């Protein structure tokens, strides 16, 4: 009851409810755990918070977050510095990155920004005009833990941790754990920072991810699971391709910008190749992205 009261009070008192949500989420994950395994074991706290938020303030998802993701997704290069896009970095990894950087940083602050809908890379790039940004700023794409940069790049787009999360698949594990994913992502980030000739960095992401393995999802009935399974092939569908109005009425799905998107951590059985770490829908962990400003 105390937890629920604190959440409600914070939301009521906040000028901007996203500030309240971000503060609550950041407080779950920061400061980082003593080790990587204990850090990621906080996921049930995140599930509890997101479930409560949906129960007591569903408008946060259906009105506020949808509006922000459609209208306020952005990609801003810091003046005189570099923007490092860590593809699929969530608040979980951001807290660990802050711990990594805080001892060597002259100044460090953490805020948030937004993914778009669907919370995928290509929709985000289209939304923020990435093709035009590449013409304006020198850009590099990082697909290795040991990239080779010139040093004067202004935008660095790292495929980590997203490429690694995609490889943690049920029954087809190429990585041993989410902990190994983080360690490899940290190596890539360290090498990026070491090679850049700038003292000013912003480290952010195009989207986060929802952890949908056992114990980290929202409970729903078998009928609802079957209905979601019949409607969705992934984490979103075009309004022109399916009809999910009944799921919207039940509060399982939201319609935004021409797409149907499951809310929070609703999920359903899926056959074949399947990852427990997904994005594309509308949840706090997918759509509210960390933004770390660092002066070295």
């Amino acid at each position: 009851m105390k937890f629920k009261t604190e959440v409600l009070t914070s939301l009521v008192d906040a000028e901007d409810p996203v500030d309240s949500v971000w503060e609550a989420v950041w407080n779950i994950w920061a400061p980082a755990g003593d080790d990587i395994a204990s850090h990621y074991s906080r996921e049930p706290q995140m599930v509890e918070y997101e479930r409560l938020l949906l129960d007591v303030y569903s408008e946060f998802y259906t009105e506020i977050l949808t509006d922000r993701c459609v209208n306020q997704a952005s990609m801003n290069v810091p003046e005189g510095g570099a923007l490092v896009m860590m593809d699929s970095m969530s608040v979980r990894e951001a807290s660990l990155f802050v711990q990594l950087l805080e001892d060597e940083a002259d100044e460090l602050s953490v805020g948030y920004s937004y993914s778009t809908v669907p919370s995928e890379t290509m929709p985000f790039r289209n939304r923020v005009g990435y093709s035009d940004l590449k013409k304006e700023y020198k850009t590099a794409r990082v697909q290795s833990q040991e990239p080779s940069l010139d040093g004067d790049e202004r935008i660095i787009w790292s495929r980590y941790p997203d490429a690694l999360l995609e490889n943690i698949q049920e029954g087809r594990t190429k990585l041993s754990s989410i902990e190994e994913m983080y360690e490899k992502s940290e190596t890539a980030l360290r090498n990026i920072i070491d090679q850049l000739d700038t003292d000013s960095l912003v480290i952010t992401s195009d989207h986060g991810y929802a952890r949908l393995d056992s114990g980290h999802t929202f409970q729903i009935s078998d009928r609802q699971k079957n209905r979601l399974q019949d409607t969705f092939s992934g984490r979103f569908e075009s309004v022109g391709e399916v009809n999910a109005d009944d799921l919207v009425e039940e509060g399982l799905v939201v319609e935004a910008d021409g797409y149907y998107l499951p809310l929070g951590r609703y999920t359903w059985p899926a056959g074949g190749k399947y990852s427990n770490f997904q994005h594309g829908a509308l949840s706090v962990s997918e759509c509210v992205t960390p933004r770390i400003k660092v002066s070295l």
Side-chain angles (χ1 to χ4, degrees):
M1 181 62 70
K2 181 181 178 183
F3 175 57
K4 182 175 182 179
T5 300
E6 289 175 349
V7 169
L8 288 170
T9 301
S10 176
L11 287 168
V12 168
D13 291 344
E15 264 186 55
D16 185 338
V18 187
D19 288 344
S20 171
V21 170
W22 173 255
E23 181 180 7
V25 168
W26 184 249
N27 286 339
I28 290 171
W29 294 102
D34 294 334
D35 58 76
I36 300 172
S38 66
H39 180 76
Y40 280 102
S41 70
R42 299 176 187 179
E43 194 70 27
Q45 298 175 52
M46 186 73 170
V47 178
E48 182 184 7
Y49 177 76
E50 289 192 83
R51 176 71 262 184
L52 178 59
L53 182 63
L54 184 58
D55 287 343
V56 303
Y57 191 23
S58 62
E59 294 86 354
F60 178 80
Y61 291 90
T62 60
E63 297 176 11
I64 296 169
L65 192 53
T66 50
D67 177 73
R68 301 290 176 90
C69 287
V70 171
N71 296 307
Q72 294 189 29
S74 62
M75 187 172 165
N76 300 313
V77 180
E79 186 175 353
L83 179 68
V84 181
M85 300 292 296
M86 299 296 290
D87 199 317
S88 204
M89 177 184 74
S90 72
V91 62
R92 309 165 183 89
E93 291 74 40
S95 175
L96 289 163
F97 288 152
V98 165
Q99 179 178 261
L100 169 71
L101 296 168
E102 59 187 357
D103 287 341
E104 55 194 82
D106 292 332
E107 294 183 21
L108 189 152
S109 62
V110 183
Y112 63 85
S113 53
Y114 301 99
S115 180
T116 188
V117 291
S119 49
E120 295 268 355
T121 297
M122 291 313 298
F124 178 83
R125 287 184 173 185
N126 291 337
R127 182 81 67 183
V128 301
Y130 184 59
S131 58
D132 291 331
L133 288 170
K134 287 197 297 182
K135 296 174 184 176
E136 185 176 355
Y137 299 104
K138 185 173 181 178
T139 305
R141 188 179 184 196
V142 169
Q143 302 186 76
S144 164
Q145 293 173 67
E146 298 181 355
S148 179
L149 302 176
D150 293 335
D152 59 345
E153 290 88 352
R154 300 292 306 283
I155 299 175
I156 301 89
W157 195 295
S158 167
R159 281 284 286 125
Y160 300 122
D162 196 42
L164 300 169
L165 286 165
E166 291 171 358
N167 286 333
I168 308 177
Q169 296 163 1
E170 190 173 296
R172 301 187 183 188
T173 304
K174 297 181 182 179
L175 294 177
S176 62
S177 63
I178 193 171
E179 293 84 7
E180 184 181 350
M181 174 281 296
Y182 172 74
E183 290 170 352
K184 292 179 182 293
S185 299
E186 180 185 293
T187 298
L189 179 60
R190 277 184 178 274
N191 287 326
I192 289 169
I193 293 173
D194 287 347
Q195 293 182 48
L196 287 175
D197 296 327
T198 182
D199 296 329
S200 176
L201 295 170
V202 170
I203 304 165
T204 188
S205 178
D206 52 340
H207 57 77
Y209 62 89
R211 187 169 177 176
L212 301 174
D213 46 346
S214 179
H216 297 144
T217 61
F218 292 167
Q219 294 299 308
I220 52 175
S221 69
D222 289 341
R223 179 192 64 80
Q224 291 171 324
K225 286 181 182 178
N226 291 335
R227 182 70 184 93
L228 287 165
Q229 187 179 39
D230 290 341
T231 304
F232 291 90
S233 57
R235 290 281 282 170
F236 60 91
E237 293 288 348
S238 171
V239 170
E241 299 295 324
V242 301
N243 186 340
D245 289 347
D246 59 320
L247 294 171
V248 173
E249 290 179 8
E250 287 192 60
L252 301 176
V253 168
V254 66
E255 180 183 341
D257 204 37
Y259 293 95
Y260 289 119
L261 311 156
L263 290 170
R265 293 173 183 246
Y266 290 125
T267 189
W268 52 92
K273 179 179 175 182
Y274 178 79
S275 173
N276 288 319
F277 306 91
Q278 296 190 32
H279 49 84
L282 194 81
S283 72
V284 174
S285 54
E286 290 169 273
C287 296
V288 183
T289 52
R291 187 175 178 87
I292 307 168
K293 296 181 180 180
V294 188
S295 296
L296 300 170

